[in-house]
Amino acid sequence: MSPMPDNPVRFGTDGWRAIIADTFTFENVRACARAVAEHFAEHGGTSRPLVVGFDTRFLSDHFAREVARVLAGAGFTVQLADRPAPTPAISYRIIEIGAAGGVVVTSSHNPFNWNGIKVKPHYGGSASPEIVADIERRVPEILADPARIRLAPPASDAITPFDPVPGYLAALGRQVSLQRIRAAGLTVAVDPMYGAGAGLFGELLSGGSTTVREIHSERNPLFPGIRAPEPIESNLSEFLFLMSTGRYAIGIANDGDADRVGLVDERGRYVDQLRTFALLIDYLLGERGLRGPIVRSITTTRMANLLAAHYGVECFETPVGFKFIGPLMMEKDALIGGEESGGYGFRGHLPERDGILAGLFLLDYVAATGKPPSELLEKVFAITGPHFYARDDYELEPGQRESVRAALDAAAPAEIAGRRVTGSDRTDGWRFLFDGGWLLFRLSGTEPLLRIYTEVTDEALVRPVLDAGRAIAGVHA
């Protein structure tokens, strides 16, 4: 047997992600797939099928086919998507057919030269830290003993193709009044960012007076014109320009695997992810009159706590990632869970992010009230007061991660941007609370990045707080 190799498969906040042809290779993907197969086989046998899906990235369909062959070679029957589809569509399929779990080949919002794998257990949500740790530990032994990987023939009877979209769209229609949105006469702009959500809003909303204009709907794995398919303001310049014409009532953007949403208001202004979460909470609790707890990650808005108190429900906080949010949503029967990245999950659908359903809920809020997004946000602010959010990302040089970590470990500021520090914690990263807001530092688990976040109640504090954070971490603009 060969010497034990280093482990190239490391799961981050949600999945294993790596650069194509560097670490994300067919050899490593097959080893990861074998580890997934062994995990599911040991924890439930091989009698239930596994589901495999993929996004629009370079070679995603080919990687997915190899994953399916490995899973079938391990004794599972496999349903393999026959087209790119949102990650939540694959999660829904797992639940729909009672599968043991699934694998999605996607790197979500990472740049074009990345790809990755997300693992979904039987409940369709993100795999827990315990599951991914079990998968990770198996990979080096599999790489050292490639004979453990048995590949089913490409045309194996154990691998069945399926269309992942129709059942998923039908499920979305049971969560929201598509008829109300179709009949509202809205002019909707959509940017799927060349990703797996392309065409779905048009298909869902056709047949009424509402119209949908979509850009970047073709499959282009280079994601031209954007740093990465993440629906944040810096990546949406063309979409923001389109919305600034004033011809559209609302703009919806999705990331590469359509599990996140970005919102642009009727004036062409980006509505940040924290405010979008607050709008979704107010839609469910205020407009629809539903009740249930809220689950939020440490990086998202304190407006969730204020809205929870206003409507008489509980609000729970977790570390970053739906591998923490989803299980707590199930445990608490939460109405909604959300994180700063623009990912939101909903009770009765999936304990997982769904950017398409989140977009439909935002459209329905506008359709039901007849109010544009800017007025709906003012309604939220009437309850919570204005809140202002921003995030800076710093790309780290080799070796810089350790110096940043040391600086943050040693940090104990008495004040930040002239505001008295009132507390700190390390629930997930380094967080400092101060009069009127918070500052948080997190090192990315998938990219060489330091992220610095803040939310404040005074807009004039946003830049000074982030600049203070940069100084504390010892990074340069």
Side-chain angles (χ1 to χ4, degrees):
M1 185 179 294
S2 304
M4 196 71 70
D6 292 335
N7 195 348
V9 176
R10 296 290 185 187
F11 283 73
T13 301
D14 186 16
W16 166 46
R17 301 175 194 175
I19 294 175
I20 300 167
D22 179 2
T23 306
F24 200 85
T25 63
F26 280 102
E27 178 185 18
N28 291 338
V29 167
R30 292 186 192 106
C32 182
R34 176 65 192 188
V36 169
E38 290 182 3
H39 170 83
F40 282 126
E42 286 188 14
H43 291 81
T46 60
S47 60
R48 290 193 292 168
L50 294 174
V51 181
V52 178
F54 57 93
D55 66 6
T56 60
R57 287 176 180 271
F58 180 64
L59 292 179
S60 281
D61 49 347
H62 295 268
F63 285 119
R65 192 175 304 118
E66 289 303 289
V67 169
R69 293 179 66 196
V70 171
L71 300 178
F76 286 93
T77 58
V78 179
Q79 293 198 3
L80 173 62
D82 63 5
R83 60 189 272 193
T87 290
I90 304 305
S91 290
Y92 178 76
R93 182 67 171 184
I94 292 168
I95 295 171
E96 183 181 33
I97 66 170
V103 174
V104 187
V105 177
T106 178
S107 193
S108 187
H109 65 283
N110 287 73
F112 76 96
N113 55 333
W114 290 69
N115 213 325
I117 282 179
K118 293 182 178 181
V119 177
K120 305 295 179 184
H122 67 279
Y123 51 83
S126 297
S128 68
E130 294 76 19
I131 291 174
V132 297
D134 184 56
I135 292 168
E136 278 185 4
R137 72 169 180 82
R138 299 171 188 269
V139 172
E141 293 181 359
I142 293 169
L143 287 170
D145 183 15
R148 281 171 64 172
I149 301 174
R150 293 182 290 278
L151 289 171
S156 169
D157 290 341
I159 302 174
T160 304
F162 79 101
D163 186 342
V165 171
Y168 170 62
L169 297 189
L172 295 177
R174 293 190 288 271
Q175 297 296 323
V176 65
S177 175
L178 294 177
Q179 186 56 41
R180 177 163 59 191
I181 303 172
R182 290 169 183 154
L186 301 177
T187 52
V188 180
V190 174
D191 186 356
M193 306 188 83
Y194 306 102
L200 298 189
F201 280 102
E203 188 171 345
L204 283 160
L205 301 180
S206 64
S209 57
T210 288
T211 59
V212 176
R213 162 79 186 281
E214 190 168 283
I215 65 171
H216 302 149
S217 58
E218 67 273 24
R219 183 174 183 176
N220 191 327
L222 293 176
F223 308 121
I226 57 177
R227 187 194 78 84
E230 181 180 11
I232 58 176
E233 186 170 11
S234 59
N235 293 330
L236 294 172
S237 56
E238 187 177 344
F239 191 52
L240 290 168
F241 178 78
L242 176 68
M243 288 296 299
S244 71
T245 63
R247 295 197 298 265
Y248 301 94
I250 183 173
I252 300 294
N254 293 116
D255 69 329
D257 68 333
D259 66 353
R260 304 181 187 200
V261 72
L263 173 64
V264 181
D265 75 9
E266 74 283 2
R267 301 174 188 173
R269 298 177 303 187
Y270 182 73
V271 180
D272 69 52
Q273 307 95 299
L274 277 66
R275 292 178 172 187
T276 299
F277 187 33
L279 283 169
L280 288 165
I281 293 169
D282 196 58
Y283 162 73
L284 294 171
L285 293 171
E287 178 60 31
R288 291 183 58 169
L290 303 175
R291 289 295 179 268
I294 299 165
V295 177
R296 71 174 189 89
S297 72
I298 189 175
T299 50
T300 196
T301 182
R302 290 293 180 92
M303 288 187 284
N305 301 71
L306 297 171
L307 287 165
H310 178 78
Y311 287 111
V313 301
E314 293 182 281
C315 185
F316 299 94
E317 184 178 272
T318 74
V320 174
F322 259 77
K323 63 185 178 183
F324 299 108
I325 295 170
L328 191 58
M329 286 182 67
M330 291 186 286
E331 177 188 336
K332 302 294 185 182
D333 193 28
L335 182 62
I336 182 173
E339 59 184 3
E340 174 270 345
S341 66
Y344 315 106
F346 307 96
R347 185 174 66 197
H349 180 54
L350 296 168
E352 180 60 290
R353 295 169 295 211
D354 192 330
I356 304 295
L357 182 56
L360 289 173
F361 281 163
L362 293 167
L363 293 175
D364 190 48
Y365 201 7
V366 172
T369 61
K371 295 180 180 180
S374 63
E375 290 186 23
L376 295 174
L377 188 59
E378 289 304 317
K379 176 180 180 294
V380 169
F381 285 168
I383 299 170
T384 66
H387 283 62
F388 304 91
Y389 154 83
R391 184 185 92 192
D392 282 347
D393 291 358
Y394 294 94
E395 192 160 341
L396 302 179
E397 300 295 330
Q400 192 179 8
R401 188 182 187 94
E402 290 71 26
S403 63
V404 167
R405 183 184 295 278
L408 294 173
D409 282 341
E415 57 88 22
I416 292 173
R419 296 297 182 99
R420 180 176 60 91
V421 172
T422 58
S424 65
D425 67 75
R426 296 189 183 179
T427 301
D428 189 347
W430 298 261
R431 180 171 61 170
F432 298 93
L433 308 177
F434 54 86
D435 293 334
W438 53 266
L439 174 68
L440 175 69
F441 304 84
R442 291 186 71 252
L443 290 163
S444 171
T446 57
E447 298 178 79
L449 291 176
L450 171 69
R451 294 191 169 101
I452 305 178
Y453 317 73
T454 190
E455 183 185 38
V456 293
T457 54
D458 179 354
E459 188 174 12
L461 277 176
V462 172
R463 193 68 255 164
V465 169
L466 289 175
D467 288 343
R470 177 169 52 84
I472 290 169
V475 294
H476 303 286

